[in-house]
Amino acid sequence: MAVWTRACKAGLLELLLRERWVRVAAELSGEALSLTAEPGSGEAAVLNGVVNGNAEAAPGCVRRVRVVKAEAGGLGISIKGGRENRMPVLISRIFPGLAAERSGALRLGDAILAVNGVDLRDATHDQAVQALKRAGREVILEVKFMREVTPYIKKPSLVSDLPWEGAAPQSPSLSGSEDSGSPQHQGSRDRKVIPLKMCFAARNLSMPDLENRLIELHSPDSRNTLILRCKDTATAHSWFMALHANITALLPQVLAELNAMLGTGGAAAGGREVKHIAWLAEQARLDGGRQQWRPVLMAVTEKDLLLYDGMPWTRDAWASPCHSYPLVATRLVHSGSGRRSPALGSELTFATRTGSRQGVEMHVFRVETHRDLSSWTRVLVQGCHAAAELIKEVSVGCTLGGQEVQLSIHYEGGFTICREEPGGSVLFHYPYEKLKMSADDGIRTLYLDFGGPEGELALDLHSCPKPIVFILHTFLSAKVTRMGLLA
C-alpha cells in the first residue's frame, strides 16, 4: 500500500447540528478531527456575513419579511413561546434549505408580531401555529429581533447533541486507550475529538450539495454522519482532501490489526490475509427504478471480496459480511468516470460482476478520488489473478451424453473430463490453447469445443454455469497477464 502524508489543518467551519448550522473551530491532526463550538455560536453567530445562514437584524426594529414557500416543504421554522408561557412567539429554529432560510431575512430570536396581517402579539402558541399553517404559499411576517429572550432558545451543544456516540468498539489494540473510537469530551469546553480511523469522508452522498461546500464524515459503524459546511468550494475541496488523506494513511494500521486478530489461532481467518479494506459508495436501486448511493465497506482477502455495513472489529462481525464473493469468480467490468456530478465534476466508478448459482451478480461502486479508483482497480485485478494461482484447480460434477462425469479445470494443466466413479478413466484432456469456443445457456449447460473429433461438448452442470464460466475467464486472464509480464 502506498505511503500517505498526513495533513494538518485548522479553521472555521459550520456544523449541521439539530437542523441548524453552528460555527465551530475545526482542527485536523493525523488521527483525529477536533471540533470546538465558537463563543456565541448558539446565538445565531455571524460567519462570512450570515447569521445561521441569514442576514443580520438590528434589535428593536420591526421588519416586514416576505417568504415564499416552495412547492414541496413548508415555511421552514419552529417557534417557541406564546401567551401561556408569558413570552412572545419566537423563532427558535430555521431549517436549512427551506423557505425561511432562503429568504435570508429571518434569524433565531425574532419575535413574530403578525402573519399576513393577523396580530400575534397576544397569541397562544397554538394560535400562532394555526396562523402560520393558514398563511398560504406567500407569507408576510412582521418580526422584531429580541436579544433579551435569546437565552430562552437552547444553545446547541456539541457534547450532548452531536450523534456520534457508540461508533466503536474499536480495534482491540486501542480499547481502553485515550483514543477509543468515540469522540472525546475535553473538560468543560464544548468540544469533541473524533478519531478518524475507519471513518468515511464523502461528498454528495447523504445530503445534496449544489454549492459544492459540504463535507460528510460517516462513523465507522455507519450509524452517524457529520455534515460540515465550508465558506466556498475551494475550502471544501482542501478540507475534504486533507480528511481523506489522513483516513487513508491509517489503513495500513487497520490492516495490521485486522490480520493480527484474525490470525490468532489460525483457523479464525481461514489462512486468508486481508489485503485491502476501505469505504466506498455503492449504487442501490430503490422502488420505481430510482437509484441512490449508500456507504459500504469493502474488504479484499487472498480469496474473497467481502462487503459490510460497518467496520467488523470483532471475529464474529468479520464472519458475518453482507455479501461474500470468491475473487476467482469475480471480474472488474468497468473503471473510470461516470455521469456528471455536482460536487466532483464526474463520478468515479467501477463495477464488478460475479458468477453465482443465482446467475450474474453486479455491483457498481463510487470512489472519491482518482487515486482511489486506481488503487481499487489494481487491487481487484491483481487479487483475482493471485486467487487463480492460489486455488489452482476447480472441479464440478456434471452429465455428458447421459453419463455422470467430472469436469476439472486446472490453472496450469487445462481441462480434464473423467468418469465420476473413483479412479474413473479420463475421457478428454485438453490444454487451454486447444479451446476453440466456450458458451453457456445461463441455466445449466456449459458448451466447450476443443476442435476434436467429438465435436462440441454439452455439459449439464445441474445448476447455473456462471461460476465455472467466470472462473475459466479468470484463469485465462491470469495466464495471459503472467505471459505478458514474463515476456
Side-chain angles (χ1 to χ4, degrees):
M1 180 174 288
V3 177
W4 284 74
T5 301
R6 300 188 187 185
C8 293
K9 284 183 70 68
L12 290 179
L13 302 175
E14 288 177 297
L15 169 69
L16 186 60
L17 187 61
R18 291 174 57 234
E19 299 171 328
R20 60 197 262 201
W21 293 105
V22 176
R23 185 175 63 177
V24 294
E27 183 177 350
L28 178 66
S29 67
E31 297 188 355
L33 174 66
S34 301
L35 299 176
T36 305
E38 281 289 285
S41 62
E43 299 179 8
V46 179
L47 179 63
N48 303 318
V50 299
V51 182
N52 199 40
N54 304 305
E56 279 274 30
C61 297
V62 176
R63 305 166 354 251
R64 285 175 58 86
V65 177
R66 177 175 175 266
V67 180
V68 179
K69 301 177 187 176
E71 294 296 332
L75 191 59
I77 62 173
S78 288
I79 60 173
K80 287 186 175 182
R83 185 178 64 203
E84 69 272 34
N85 298 307
R86 299 183 181 180
M87 296 285 289
V89 177
L90 302 171
I91 296 178
S92 61
R93 188 177 300 179
I94 299 174
F95 294 90
L98 295 183
E101 188 196 44
R102 291 198 306 270
S103 74
L106 296 171
R107 67 174 295 175
L108 302 180
D110 274 341
I112 302 178
L113 308 180
V115 178
N116 287 354
V118 178
D119 194 311
L120 298 184
R121 287 175 175 84
D122 196 39
T124 64
H125 184 273
D126 287 343
Q127 289 171 340
V129 169
Q130 293 305 314
L132 290 168
K133 286 183 176 179
R134 291 193 300 266
R137 185 162 182 260
E138 182 175 320
V139 185
I140 304 298
L141 299 172
E142 290 183 25
V143 298
K144 180 173 70 172
F145 179 61
M146 303 181 68
R147 188 181 299 277
E148 62 271 20
V149 300
T150 53
Y152 180 67
I153 302 171
K154 180 180 181 290
K155 174 184 176 181
S157 166
L158 292 173
V159 172
S160 63
D161 294 334
L162 185 61
W164 201 267
E165 300 296 348
Q170 268 283 26
S171 54
S173 67
L174 288 181
S175 59
S177 73
E178 64 177 8
D179 185 9
S180 67
S182 291
Q184 304 298 305
H185 307 162
Q186 303 293 322
S188 60
R189 298 182 65 191
D190 196 0
R191 184 179 187 228
K192 276 201 171 178
V193 179
I194 300 175
L196 295 176
K197 183 182 289 187
M198 290 314 298
C199 288
F200 179 30
R203 309 283 305 270
N204 263 299
L205 190 59
S206 62
M207 186 173 182
D209 182 18
L210 299 180
E211 296 180 333
N212 297 344
R213 294 199 291 149
L214 302 183
I215 299 170
E216 302 178 19
L217 190 64
H218 299 257
S219 62
D221 63 1
S222 75
R223 296 177 184 174
N224 301 297
T225 304
L226 237 168
I227 307 293
L228 297 169
R229 185 166 72 178
C230 303
K231 66 178 181 179
D232 53 37
T233 301
T235 304
H237 178 74
S238 175
W239 270 97
F240 172 78
M241 293 305 294
L243 277 165
H244 181 272
N246 288 8
I247 292 170
T248 303
L250 293 168
L251 290 181
Q253 181 183 349
V254 173
L255 284 174
E257 293 171 356
L258 268 177
N259 284 314
M261 174 189 70
L262 297 174
T264 304
R272 299 178 181 181
E273 180 185 357
V274 185
K275 296 293 188 178
H276 193 63
I277 188 167
W279 283 98
L280 301 161
E282 182 187 11
Q283 191 177 76
R285 294 187 179 275
L286 306 177
D287 294 339
R290 294 180 297 116
Q291 298 177 346
Q292 72 174 24
W293 297 101
R294 66 177 187 87
V296 64
L297 186 70
M298 180 186 289
V300 176
T301 70
E302 290 178 307
K303 293 184 178 181
D304 297 306
L305 185 154
L306 309 170
L307 300 180
Y308 297 88
D309 285 335
M311 180 62 198
W313 285 120
T314 65
R315 292 190 190 183
D316 287 344
W318 179 263
S320 304
C322 300
H323 297 283
S324 176
Y325 301 111
L327 280 173
V328 74
T330 300
R331 70 178 71 158
L332 182 74
V333 293
H334 162 77
S335 177
S337 299
R339 60 183 176 81
R340 189 78 180 167
S341 167
L344 300 176
S346 63
E347 289 178 340
L348 302 175
T349 63
F350 67 88
T352 61
R353 293 174 53 137
T354 302
S356 72
R357 291 184 177 275
Q358 289 71 44
V360 178
E361 297 188 38
M362 182 171 177
H363 294 266
V364 180
F365 303 98
R366 192 191 85 188
V367 297
E368 300 297 326
T369 69
H370 285 88
R371 188 167 182 173
D372 290 343
L373 185 64
S374 175
S375 175
W376 276 111
T377 300
R378 182 177 63 255
V379 164
L380 289 172
V381 172
Q382 293 180 355
C384 292
H385 291 171
E389 295 189 20
L390 185 66
I391 292 171
K392 291 292 187 185
E393 184 178 23
V394 293
S395 298
V396 59
C398 51
T399 302
L400 175 64
Q403 64 176 324
E404 297 299 318
V405 298
Q406 179 173 280
L407 168 67
S408 297
I409 306 177
H410 193 279
Y411 176 68
E412 301 287 357
F415 303 82
T416 301
I417 300 174
C418 59
R419 289 189 172 88
E420 185 66 63
E421 66 266 12
S425 59
V426 174
L427 299 176
F428 304 101
H429 177 75
Y430 288 106
Y432 286 97
E433 56 266 27
K434 291 293 186 179
L435 182 64
K436 306 299 182 184
M437 184 276 296
S438 66
D440 69 275
D441 63 359
I443 302 173
R444 58 187 294 163
T445 305
L446 174 67
Y447 301 96
L448 299 175
D449 188 348
F450 298 98
E454 70 280 357
E456 181 182 84
L457 302 175
L459 299 160
D460 183 352
L461 304 185
H462 310 305
S463 64
C464 182
K466 291 301 182 184
I468 290 294
V469 172
F470 274 63
I471 291 171
L472 172 58
H473 175 275
T474 301
F475 279 4
L476 288 170
S477 176
K479 288 175 70 66
V480 168
T481 301
R482 188 181 67 173
M483 291 172 63
L485 291 174
L486 294 175

